[in-house]
Amino acid sequence: DQADVDAISEEFNDQIFEAIMQNQDIFLVTPRVADEAFIAWSDDLSGSFDAAFTTTVPRDGDYQVIILSTPLSQTFGTYRMLIGIDAPEVVSGSAQPTGDEIATFYRAGRNTEVAVQTIKGELNPQSPDTFYNFNDFFPGDTLYVYIKAISGDLLPRISLLAQGTKPVRDGTYNKDATAGWLELPLPEGGSGYRLEITADKLEGKEPSGEYQLVVGRNVPQVLTGIAADRGEPFLRLAIPVDVGSNLQQITGVDQTAENYGAVYAIRLVWQDPKLAFSSEECQCEFKVYNGDDFAKFVSEEEIDWPIFTIFNQQGNRWSQNKNVVVQPDGTAVYIERFSTTLQAPDFNFKKFPFDRQEFFLAIDSLYPKEFFTYEPSRDYIAIGDQLGEEEWYLVDSQVTITETQATTLSYTPRYEFRFFAQRHLIFYIIRIFVPLLLIILVAWITFYMDDFGKRVDATTANLLLFIAFNFTISGELPRLGYLTYLDTLLVCTFIVSVLVVGYNVALKRMENAGKREQANKIDRYMIWLYPFGYAIAFGLVTLSFFTTILPQINF
């Protein structure tokens, strides 16, 4: 019976594990343990994945042929088994059934599959519903489902759908509606069943909390909510996908359009039993698909795979290469190298040119979170040493996994790779700040001229020079709806330059009015007030933009 099969399998694995812990060779230990446990046994046949044996029945009675998984690991897939009495051709696999029944097939020791599976989940305002897909049911199966709230303000609701859309059965609930259950006999079995979980509002509050779901195949105790897990899982849970990215080059940053061009390599790794194959059949250790060959293959086989879209992509994505490597156990590795233009809407130039900008790559799954979930890769996250971008240097990066409805109507996982960059300041120091300082110094030097008329000429020329300089650097920034730090400095300089011209004109008029001595007295104070005024003004602007001591200047 089932207990005997489980006990034999467990004891078989335990003995092998114990021998391995004693540093014994598994390939020597396995035959010895198998000889002690079974009358006859077979693993690989002549180096192939087939197994066959011939044995003499020692005495009359009932015998079991047990199919066990590989010791210390789980394998899966379909198989074909031949059993014969006095039929040597069975060993070669060439025997044909005669119609006489000599063995009865028991699935896991019973004519019906018995299984219980317990899952904990969460609903919240950001993810108010979810669903689970079932594997195929066998004829004669009965499905049992029980759900209860275990935390938060949650009134869970369950509905069983056929083919994902047709309602088949709704849940029945207890008095306070915190638990529910349903039962459905399936005399003919079936496939394509889905369990949908939603929640009612509790006293007007948005549903939020954890639930415990217990599903059972042919186990009525599930309806009490008390049933231990056993058997093979028959809910198809979301497949975890390991997602990683490699920023290889920044081809350009367009500050006006607020986007950047980049060359990325991304990698997805997941395991799906539907992709598994026998390496003996193809005489290969792995399969490689190039370009769109993998997409065509899974489409023909009706296999879901973690197809994605890049949320912040602008224009086309030019793929240099796109490959998928599939291992015999169903592990798939998708690698794509591409170049594209990516939106960067988080640009903020208020502190320009001392600004720190945020760039990102957002990958959205096209399948809901119930099919695939994202996990950040630990070994495939990198930034190239030579990105080819001379204006910026990278200071930090981070990876986050979230859920969003941005791409589809369903909640889908999103992988975000963000990196932060600052500008190399030498360009702005030499091309902007040094000329600006010289313009301010030239205006200050004119204060030492005794001829007020020539002062007016000099400061007016200096003002015109500043205007030309301002036009020259105006192309460095987009046309923003706010002033940046540099804009504010330039505005302050422009205002002061105009005031200096006006001040010198006023002194000239005082001189013409015979008030030369009074003009000189005022000038003796202004010659020092001018630099200190600039220092105070620039200091206040800096405090406004880079600290919270003063409110930020907005225009």
Side-chain angles (χ1 to χ4, degrees):
D1 57 21
Q2 174 67 30
D4 293 335
V5 174
D6 287 342
I8 291 172
S9 178
E10 184 176 354
E11 183 179 357
F12 183 67
N13 282 335
D14 285 348
Q15 291 186 47
I16 293 176
F17 181 74
E18 182 179 353
I20 293 174
M21 294 301 294
Q22 298 174 0
N23 295 321
Q24 298 181 39
D25 188 342
I26 186 175
F27 297 103
L28 299 179
V29 171
T30 301
R32 187 182 72 239
V33 175
D35 286 340
E36 295 174 357
F38 311 118
I39 297 174
W41 66 277
S42 176
D43 188 6
D44 297 337
L45 181 66
S46 301
S48 72
F49 289 100
D50 298 333
F53 64 79
T54 300
T55 187
T56 301
V57 178
R59 57 183 178 273
D60 292 344
D62 293 332
Y63 293 85
Q64 287 181 317
V65 176
I66 302 173
I67 303 172
L68 296 177
S69 183
T70 301
L72 307 179
S73 66
Q74 292 296 320
T75 59
F76 51 85
T78 59
Y79 61 87
R80 174 176 174 266
M81 183 171 66
L82 290 173
I83 299 177
I85 298 176
D86 299 327
E89 62 272 18
V90 166
V91 177
S92 66
S94 60
Q96 297 296 322
T98 61
D100 299 329
E101 184 176 291
I102 60 176
T104 301
F105 175 71
Y106 288 88
R107 184 176 180 86
R110 297 176 184 268
N111 281 320
T112 56
E113 178 84 7
V114 175
V116 176
Q117 190 173 354
T118 302
I119 296 172
K120 290 185 178 180
E122 180 182 2
L123 298 179
N124 52 58
Q126 290 73 41
S127 184
D129 56 69
T130 188
F131 62 84
Y132 297 94
N133 292 318
F134 288 99
N135 289 325
D136 294 349
F137 290 99
F138 301 108
D141 278 347
T142 299
L143 171 66
Y144 299 94
V145 180
Y146 178 85
I147 191 170
K148 69 175 180 179
I150 57 177
S151 71
D153 300 321
L154 195 64
L155 300 177
R157 294 289 178 266
I158 50 177
S159 300
L160 187 65
L161 309 177
Q163 304 304 322
T165 58
K166 180 183 178 181
V168 175
R169 191 67 53 89
D170 285 330
T172 303
Y173 305 95
N174 62 1
K175 185 180 297 184
D176 59 5
T178 58
W181 53 89
L182 64 80
E183 174 184 351
L184 180 66
L186 297 163
E188 298 180 0
S191 61
Y193 285 94
R194 170 180 295 183
L195 184 67
E196 191 173 83
I197 300 177
T198 57
D200 286 344
K201 291 184 178 181
L202 181 62
E203 297 178 354
K205 298 179 180 178
E206 291 294 331
S208 179
E210 294 182 319
Y211 62 85
Q212 179 172 289
L213 175 69
V214 185
V215 294
R217 188 199 296 262
N218 306 315
V219 182
Q221 293 88 345
V222 166
L223 298 182
T224 67
I226 304 174
D229 284 10
R230 55 175 163 158
E232 297 181 2
F234 61 103
L235 281 180
R236 294 206 303 269
L237 301 181
I239 297 175
V241 182
D242 183 274
V243 185
S245 60
N246 186 336
L247 174 61
Q248 299 182 348
Q249 184 181 2
I250 298 176
T251 57
V253 178
D254 190 334
Q255 299 176 73
T256 302
E258 295 194 6
N259 59 38
Y260 73 103
V263 177
Y264 274 98
I266 58 176
R267 189 187 73 178
L268 309 180
V269 182
W270 74 101
Q271 184 181 33
D272 188 345
K274 294 180 180 179
L275 294 174
F277 62 92
S278 171
S279 57
E280 185 179 26
E281 293 178 359
C282 65
Q283 294 297 307
C284 60
E285 297 181 5
F286 52 85
K287 294 181 179 180
V288 178
Y289 299 87
N290 300 315
D292 295 326
D293 292 345
F294 181 74
K296 295 177 182 177
F297 164 73
V298 294
S299 176
E300 293 171 356
E301 298 295 326
E302 297 183 350
I303 300 174
D304 298 329
W305 72 287
I307 187 172
F308 63 91
T309 182
I310 298 180
F311 173 70
N312 61 322
Q313 174 183 325
Q314 292 185 337
N316 291 327
R317 183 169 87 239
W318 307 103
S319 295
Q320 281 81 40
N321 50 68
K322 185 164 49 176
N323 304 293
V324 180
V325 180
V326 181
Q327 303 292 338
D329 65 352
T331 298
V333 180
Y334 173 97
I335 299 179
E336 179 182 355
R337 186 178 189 270
F338 63 88
S339 60
T340 189
T341 299
L342 298 168
Q343 184 184 12
D346 297 323
F347 280 171
N348 188 328
F349 300 101
K350 286 183 178 294
K351 297 180 181 180
F352 174 81
F354 301 98
D355 49 331
R356 168 174 159 150
Q357 298 301 344
E358 183 175 342
F359 304 79
F360 72 98
L361 168 73
I363 299 175
D364 284 4
S365 170
L366 292 184
Y367 279 100
K369 58 185 177 64
E370 288 81 6
F371 286 85
F372 296 98
T373 59
Y374 281 174
E375 297 178 354
S377 174
R378 294 184 178 181
D379 60 349
Y380 199 82
I381 174 71
I383 297 176
D385 295 330
Q386 296 180 337
L387 296 177
E389 175 54 49
E390 299 298 335
E391 181 178 357
W392 302 85
Y393 65 96
L394 273 58
V395 294
D396 196 9
S397 64
Q398 67 180 29
V399 172
T400 57
I401 302 295
T402 58
E403 292 179 2
T404 179
Q405 273 188 304
T407 301
T408 65
L409 296 178
S410 302
Y411 284 91
T412 61
R414 169 179 289 182
Y415 167 92
E416 282 192 359
F417 168 70
R418 292 182 178 270
F419 63 94
F420 305 89
Q422 289 183 312
R423 303 173 193 271
H424 290 289
L425 293 177
I426 187 65
F427 169 84
Y428 298 96
I429 291 173
I430 299 300
R431 296 291 300 274
I432 296 179
F433 287 103
V434 170
L436 185 62
L437 179 61
L438 292 176
I439 290 173
I440 294 172
L441 287 175
V442 167
W444 189 32
I445 291 172
T446 62
F447 280 77
Y448 291 92
M449 298 173 62
D450 291 332
D451 190 333
F452 295 143
K454 290 184 178 180
R455 275 202 202 181
V456 174
D457 295 338
T459 54
T460 301
N462 197 53
L463 178 61
L464 295 175
L465 174 63
F466 173 76
I467 293 173
F469 169 73
N470 191 45
F471 275 114
T472 301
I473 65 172
S474 62
E476 296 296 325
L477 271 181
R479 292 172 175 81
L480 303 171
Y482 54 86
L483 287 182
T484 67
Y485 173 66
L486 181 59
D487 289 332
T488 307
L489 293 184
L490 293 175
V491 169
C492 290
T493 304
F494 183 77
I495 292 173
V496 173
S497 297
V498 172
L499 292 176
V500 168
V501 173
Y503 166 72
N504 287 316
V505 170
L507 291 182
K508 180 62 178 177
R509 288 176 62 85
M510 290 178 66
E511 181 184 37
N512 293 338
K515 299 179 181 179
R516 173 72 187 198
E517 186 174 344
Q518 185 179 357
N520 288 336
K521 187 176 180 180
I522 295 173
D523 203 36
R524 281 195 294 270
Y525 291 102
M526 287 298 297
I527 198 171
W528 297 110
L529 183 60
Y530 175 82
F532 283 115
Y534 257 120
I536 293 172
F538 282 11
L540 292 175
V541 170
T542 302
L543 286 174
S544 172
F545 277 88
F546 293 92
T547 71
T548 57
I549 298 176
L550 295 176
Q552 186 166 315
I553 298 173
N554 290 301
F555 293 87

